[in-house]
Amino acid sequence: MVNESVWLRPARRERRPLTLDRIVAEAVALLDEEGEARLTMRRLAERLGTGSTTLYWHVKTKDDVLDLALDAVFGEVPLPAAGAWRERAAALVTGWRAALLRHPWSTGLLDRPLMGPNALERTEFLYATLAGAGFGGADLPAAAFSLSTFVTGSATMQARDPAGDGAAVAGRLLAHREAYPVLAAHGLDPDWDAVFARGLAYLLDGMAARTQP
Amino acid sequence: MVNESVWLRPARRERRPLTLDRIVAEAVALLDEEGEARLTMRRLAERLGTGSTTLYWHVKTKDDVLDLALDAVFGEVPLPAAGAWRERAAALVTGWRAALLRHPWSTGLLDRPLMGPNALERTEFLYATLAGAGFGGADLPAAAFSLSTFVTGSATMQARDPAGDGAAVAGRLLAHREAYPVLAAHGLDPDWDAVFARGLAYLLDGMAARTQP
DNA sequence: ACCTGAACACCGTTCAAGT
DNA sequence: ACCTGAACACCGTTCAAGT
């Protein structure tokens, strides 16, 4: 019969099979475009051409999707190949910050255990770099945690600032100039790159001085 | 008529009027006891003896409740009265960390603008302390942001670690010991207080060296 | 000014059923 | 092994109505 012709049958919307990788990639795209509040199992499934309940064969919960999306961001952080320990640590940490800021929603997920393979690989790299530089005993975890804490904290702080213009904060501060005089005079619209670079220098200087006197 | 007697009328469940302060205090208590996932407008209202829709006269959205709860935590951070700049900064930052860790859910809210009066007062205090110590120009915002970033980041990192025993992370690491050898050997179950103290010393050392040569 | 109840447009997740 | 639809037990929020 004519109406069984290939051309008349509704085309399969999606030929590619649904995989975990496709789900994670689409979740990252959705988060990039619309932010965390709009990430819904139903909306995510819709973008993939299925129903929301289909996702649950590939994934146990929505939290899984978020964990995987976050680790995908960590996967974008390059591992610097060579250099002295200080340059390698600085390069790692700078690339780490850039990846987080490319996906500002990621800073809202930095509570929750970072146990994905990409996150662990970067942490291991940091530990290995510092251990190789002579950090030992209590200085090794202290140095490693200080650096990673500094990255995640400063990316969060910057992502918090809407569109980098500091308009909202500025308005609130200027309205209460007398209550926050120093902050209003010097804390508006900081140059985030410069703040990060200088803060990192403080930290690395302090680390170097304590372990290599 | 007998059934209009006071004793037979149902008692008013709550005599105290509903105020913003009561709502915020109850939200903090609920978050402390059950965590962020269980904070619901309906559950919060139930604890206050009303319906969820009543809350919306006092508050515009649920986000308002979270913003107010977070700023209540900042309100617990004492402002150190005296001392040299380094001791004052260290005391502020140590109390800040303690307040966040007393309410571990707060670290999950540290994305979002910190524009509550309590948060701004602490930030202003930090700026004023550093400005008084001679930090000027680009060093002032860099020093202030470095310190606050370090606090929020390290509290987040510690709150992430379940119950402080590091069991979950340890299990994952030990299962892949060959992939993460340095981390598995030195990064398990850190002494968080020691890590924080040493990291803070790195940072303050670096700051002091750059501005007061 | 403050509180209430009903209702709307959603959620995440389960599960029996299909191929 | 993989996908689907119906259904459950919730959500945040609005709004007309009460006092």
Side-chain angles (χ1 to χ4, degrees), chain A residues 110 112-113 115 120 124 127 139 145-146 149 154 157 160 172 180-183 187 198-199 201-202 205-206 210, chain B residues 110 112-113 115 120 124 127 139 145-146 149 154 157 160 172 180-183 198-199 201-202 205-206 210:
Chain A
L110 288 174
R112 74 174 65 213
M115 302 197 307
L120 288 181
E124 169 71 14
Y127 267 82
D139 273 306
F145 277 112
S146 294
T149 264
S154 69
M157 189 158 282
R160 200 150 49 199
R172 178 112 165 84
Y180 316 113
V182 189
L183 188 50
R198 189 158 308 207
Y202 293 152
D205 284 356
R210 289 236 167 186
Chain B
L110 288 175
R112 75 174 64 214
M115 303 197 306
L120 287 181
E124 169 71 13
Y127 266 82
D139 272 307
F145 278 112
S146 294
T149 264
S154 70
M157 189 157 283
R160 204 151 44 200
R172 177 114 166 81
Y180 317 113
V182 189
L183 188 50
R198 190 158 307 207
Y202 293 151
D205 283 356
R210 289 235 167 185

Side-chain angles (χ1 to χ4, degrees), chain B:
Chain B
M1 306 162 117
V2 147
N3 60 359
E4 285 196 0
S5 153
V6 229
W7 315 113
L8 297 181
R9 258 180 269 136
R12 284 222 174 283
R13 289 182 313 236
E14 284 291 340
R15 304 204 64 83
R16 288 183 300 167
L18 194 54
T19 62
L20 195 55
D21 282 348
R22 281 189 63 217
I23 292 174
V24 174
E26 196 65 43
V28 169
L30 172 50
L31 288 163
D32 284 345
E33 293 168 23
E34 315 190 32
E36 190 188 350
R38 306 277 324 251
L39 174 62
T40 278
M41 293 303 267
R42 288 171 218 256
R43 288 177 53 78
L44 176 58
E46 192 187 9
R47 287 174 66 127
L48 289 162
T50 24
S52 68
T53 63
T54 304
L55 299 177
Y56 285 87
W57 194 88
H58 299 271
V59 122
K60 193 150 176 28
T61 65
K62 182 186 176 180
D63 264 336
D64 283 6
V65 177
L66 293 173
D67 284 335
L68 291 163
L70 181 59
D71 200 57
V73 173
F74 280 89
E76 295 180 8
V77 181
L79 299 180
W85 75 267
R86 183 168 173 143
E87 277 66 43
R88 290 225 288 171
L92 175 73
V93 140
T94 300
W96 193 335
R97 169 175 178 259
L100 292 174
L101 292 176
R102 257 195 314 273
H103 308 282
W105 49 269
S106 68
T107 60
L109 301 177
L110 288 175
D111 62 330
R112 75 174 64 214
L114 305 181
M115 303 197 306
N118 291 327
L120 287 181
E121 189 183 8
R122 271 74 193 168
T123 308
E124 169 71 13
F125 180 89
L126 185 57
Y127 266 82
T129 300
L130 294 171
F135 288 87
D139 272 307
L140 181 52
F145 278 112
S146 294
L147 283 169
S148 54
T149 264
F150 183 74
V151 181
T152 55
S154 70
T156 301
M157 189 157 283
Q158 180 171 352
R160 204 151 44 200
D161 196 28
D165 60 6
V169 179
R172 177 114 166 81
L173 284 179
L174 294 175
H176 297 83
R177 190 185 269 289
E178 70 292 345
Y180 317 113
V182 189
L183 188 50
H186 301 102
L188 298 178
D189 205 9
D191 177 341
W192 290 110
D193 287 350
V195 164
F196 178 80
R198 190 158 307 207
L200 182 58
Y202 293 151
L203 196 52
L204 290 170
D205 283 356
M207 285 167 51
R210 289 235 167 185
T211 43
Q212 303 165 356

